[in-house]
Amino acid sequence: DTGVSQDPRHKITKRGQNVTFRCDPISEHNRLYWYRQTLGQGPEFLTYFQNEAQLEKSRLLSDRFSAERPKGSFSTLEIQRTEQGDSAMYLCASSNEGLAGGETQYFGPGTRLLVL
Amino acid sequence: AQTVTQSQPEMSVQEAETVTLSCTYDTSESDYYLFWYKQPPSRQMILVIRQEAYKQQNATENRFSVNFQKAAKSFSLKISDSQLGDAAMYFCAYRSAVDKIIFGKGTRLHILP
């Protein structure tokens, strides 16, 4: 399977704990995106990387959130001191952007986080 | 800021019939892309169809087609010969040339056997 993969698929944690999610994009895709989706809503943009550079962060990404893509391949999203409001599906997507842009983003299956 | 509006939270269609999902968007840009994504229950989001704003011809993919009205900023999805497997949340999405995707809130489509 050469699609976008995410790990873990489900995570239950207690309020105040730290959690880390991993995303493996489609091989050789230079762009990697993180989105958050709450129940009954469309995904909301969190941040994205062009290779290893983090180019944009949403205001939704508080100081408790940090994302990395150290070698321009896989990415991690860490949430520190989790709150119940962090409960959501965290989606990763990747694309292979050229100079013209506008390439289709391919989504992973998501990591569903539940904070108790 | 760009916005995407889907005014139909839920829709139902009889199997084998045709249904149209509505989407409007707001932007001041001239170069952008529009998408319809499908998210089946507890399953992965997948691309249904995409449209480049500079193309006048409406995109089609088998039973799926769009009606792209650039001046009206409207981008509806038509599903012909609806099948049970079409039941899902459908998200309309906007993207500028090199930017993130902005999604609408989605339309839940039910297929009635």
Side-chain angles (χ1 to χ4, degrees):
Chain A
D1 185 9
T2 57
V4 179
S5 61
Q6 292 186 245
D7 184 69
R9 296 289 305 276
H10 302 272
K11 179 71 177 178
I12 300 174
T13 191
K14 292 182 178 179
R15 188 178 55 185
Q17 297 295 305
N18 298 344
V19 294
T20 300
F21 310 141
R22 176 178 170 127
C23 171
D24 286 88
I26 293 172
S27 179
E28 298 182 357
H29 275 193
N30 52 12
R31 283 273 183 103
L32 188 148
Y33 300 79
W34 285 99
Y35 294 86
R36 182 172 70 185
Q37 185 179 20
T38 53
L39 202 60
Q41 300 295 315
E44 296 175 293
F45 168 78
L46 292 178
T47 188
Y48 82 88
F49 294 83
Q50 173 82 22
N51 299 312
E52 65 274 11
Q54 189 173 17
L55 296 188
E56 186 176 348
K57 292 192 290 185
S58 162
R59 58 181 171 76
L60 294 175
L61 214 66
S62 75
D63 291 344
R64 297 184 297 106
F65 288 71
S66 63
E68 294 182 341
R69 195 183 182 198
K71 297 182 180 179
S73 56
F74 74 91
S75 175
T76 58
L77 177 68
E78 181 184 17
I79 309 174
Q80 295 182 328
R81 305 180 304 281
T82 52
E83 302 173 356
Q84 288 181 327
D86 297 332
S87 296
M89 175 79 85
Y90 290 84
L91 296 169
C92 176
S94 72
S95 66
N96 192 20
E97 296 292 326
L99 290 176
E103 294 300 323
T104 297
Q105 295 180 18
Y106 295 90
F107 283 80
T111 294
R112 185 171 296 282
L113 172 66
L114 177 61
V115 182
L116 301 176
Chain B
Q2 297 89 1
T3 58
V4 177
T5 302
Q6 294 179 249
S7 58
Q8 306 151 315
E10 288 194 62
M11 292 193 70
S12 297
V13 63
Q14 207 74 34
E15 194 175 3
E17 296 295 308
T18 295
V19 64
T20 299
L21 309 184
S22 301
C23 173
T24 58
Y25 59 94
D26 189 24
T27 183
S28 58
E29 298 175 337
S30 59
D31 185 18
Y32 53 88
Y33 302 80
L34 297 165
F35 306 85
W36 280 97
Y37 279 89
K38 170 185 177 182
Q39 189 176 43
S42 301
R43 292 183 64 187
Q44 200 156 335
M45 187 165 318
I46 58 174
L47 178 70
V48 174
I49 199 166
R50 63 175 275 156
Q51 173 82 41
E52 292 85 350
Y54 63 84
K55 289 187 178 178
Q56 292 186 337
Q57 186 172 8
N58 289 324
T60 61
E61 286 288 342
N62 301 315
R63 298 183 294 107
F64 300 88
S65 62
V66 298
N67 183 4
F68 174 47
Q69 302 289 328
K70 190 172 184 179
K73 297 179 181 175
S74 170
F75 183 62
S76 61
L77 174 70
K78 185 171 81 171
I79 305 173
S80 304
D81 185 26
S82 298
Q83 301 175 0
L84 294 177
D86 295 333
M89 281 289 285
Y90 286 82
F91 293 100
C92 178
Y94 166 99
R95 184 188 177 189
S96 63
V98 291
D99 208 354
K100 58 190 177 291
I101 290 181
I102 298 170
F103 287 88
K105 291 189 174 183
T107 295
R108 183 171 298 282
L109 179 64
H110 303 277
I111 310 296
L112 306 174

